[in-house]
Amino acid sequence: MSQQSSMPMSQQPQALPEAARARLGGGDGFFTSDLSVNEFVLTTQTGFQPLGLVMGTSVYHVGIQPARWNVSQELPVLTQALYTARELAMARMTAEAAALGADGVIGVRIRPVRLAFSAEVLEFMAVGTAIKSEDGGNHRTPNGTPFTSHLSGQDFWTLWQHGWFPRAMVMGTCVYHVAHLSFRQSLQTYGVNAELLPYTQAIYDARELSMSRMQYEGRQVGAAGVVGVTVEESTWIWGEHAVEFFALGTAVSRSHPDRTPVDPTMVMPLTN
């Protein structure tokens, strides 16, 4: 998959489905949220109020990807399918947040759903809580869309207290075919402790590709860095020698000076 020349799809305006517009159109101050009680309280202490639970989904058909059994290589058809499906789900979730007038979405989760339609059909669903600042400031991304973050409400509070702010949830993916060992290579490692260098190099390359794509997205939104990074490995339906590496994190930038830290105080109970 080539590096994108423009903003990720999840950072671009999207049309909102009518069903979602009807659900979000109350406007009476009532909200729903998947934040825990602690997350909810800490988020309000930063000056942001939850507006509603927002979501987006994409059901995607994965195309045919030929591969040579003895060559380690990226499988670009599969990489692009998984990337686009996730981005579409994110974009639709962000569109719901924009319809609520939110500044951003926190606690975002992207999860795959295996559907019974076909082995080549999968769904990605993005869910999070839309929030809005009470100070009236502009906390959206440079292109005017609500920011996204997979960080918890506690992490959001900690970032804010120390002068940092999430800019966007960024991701990178790579589906890679790991070449089978030749008969000679298999014989050389039979019964002995030995590193399987072709496997090591292929897995290393695949992880690096997913990480570099995530970092590229972070630079595209003007962030100073990416926090909370995870790299997940999935085999999906493509057999034991095809694997996806998915890198996910929240791009952040400095927004205001660090606040004075609160020093914890130990309280000793009185005893008779």
Side-chain angles (χ1 to χ4, degrees):
M1 184 180 67
S2 61
Q3 303 282 32
Q4 293 85 2
S5 59
S6 59
M7 284 287 184
M9 189 183 305
S10 59
Q11 299 301 311
Q12 300 175 15
Q14 300 287 319
L16 191 66
E18 286 302 320
R21 192 178 300 278
R23 175 175 63 86
L24 299 170
D28 56 358
F30 182 83
F31 70 90
T32 55
S33 170
D34 61 350
L35 299 176
S36 69
V37 173
N38 287 340
E39 288 180 293
F40 169 71
V41 172
L42 287 174
T43 299
T44 59
Q45 285 184 2
T46 63
F48 287 80
Q49 291 295 328
L51 298 181
L53 189 70
V54 289
M55 63 188 71
T57 190
S58 173
V59 179
Y60 212 85
H61 179 266
V62 181
I64 297 174
Q65 172 68 72
R68 296 171 59 186
W69 73 275
N70 61 341
V71 177
S72 291
Q73 63 186 71
E74 184 176 12
L75 305 177
V77 172
L78 303 182
T79 296
Q80 192 63 55
L82 293 179
Y83 180 82
T84 304
R86 289 186 177 101
E87 280 287 305
L88 284 170
M90 282 282 295
R92 288 160 183 162
M93 180 197 70
T94 306
E96 289 196 2
L100 286 172
D103 289 314
V105 188
I106 62 173
V108 176
R109 292 168 288 118
I110 304 179
R111 65 182 183 91
V113 180
R114 179 67 65 197
L115 301 175
F117 305 151
S118 168
E120 292 79 29
V121 175
L122 53 86
E123 175 193 7
F124 281 101
M125 183 171 69
V127 180
T129 294
I131 60 174
K132 185 176 180 61
S133 173
E134 296 180 315
D135 64 9
N138 180 18
H139 299 285
R140 290 192 172 192
T141 63
N143 63 340
T145 60
F147 71 84
T148 53
S149 171
H150 77 312
L151 300 176
S152 67
Q154 290 93 330
D155 288 339
F156 179 71
W157 180 88
T158 302
L159 277 179
W160 180 261
Q161 286 295 112
H162 293 281
W164 292 86
F165 198 77
R167 296 273 41 114
M169 198 164 87
V170 291
M171 64 185 78
T173 189
C174 176
V175 181
Y176 212 84
H177 177 263
V178 181
H180 292 67
L181 294 178
S182 66
F183 180 71
R184 176 176 295 181
Q185 288 172 322
S186 298
L187 284 180
Q188 290 173 343
T189 59
Y190 180 75
V192 299
N193 291 331
E195 183 179 14
L196 303 176
L197 288 176
Y199 288 179
T200 297
Q201 189 62 52
I203 296 299
Y204 186 91
D205 291 344
R207 285 196 181 100
E208 284 297 309
L209 282 170
S210 66
M211 283 286 293
S212 65
R213 288 164 181 166
M214 180 198 68
Q215 291 178 194
Y216 176 80
E217 284 198 354
R219 294 180 184 277
Q220 287 293 96
V221 297
V226 182
V227 299
V229 174
T230 59
V231 182
E232 298 179 353
E233 179 180 342
S234 303
T235 54
W236 297 98
I237 59 174
W238 305 306
E240 61 186 25
H241 279 259
V243 60
E244 181 204 18
F245 288 97
F246 175 59
L248 178 70
T250 293
V252 298
S253 59
R254 175 71 74 176
S255 62
H256 56 270
D258 196 349
R259 301 181 188 277
T260 303
V262 177
D263 294 326
T265 303
M266 180 178 293
V267 178
M268 300 297 292
L270 296 176
T271 58
N272 294 329

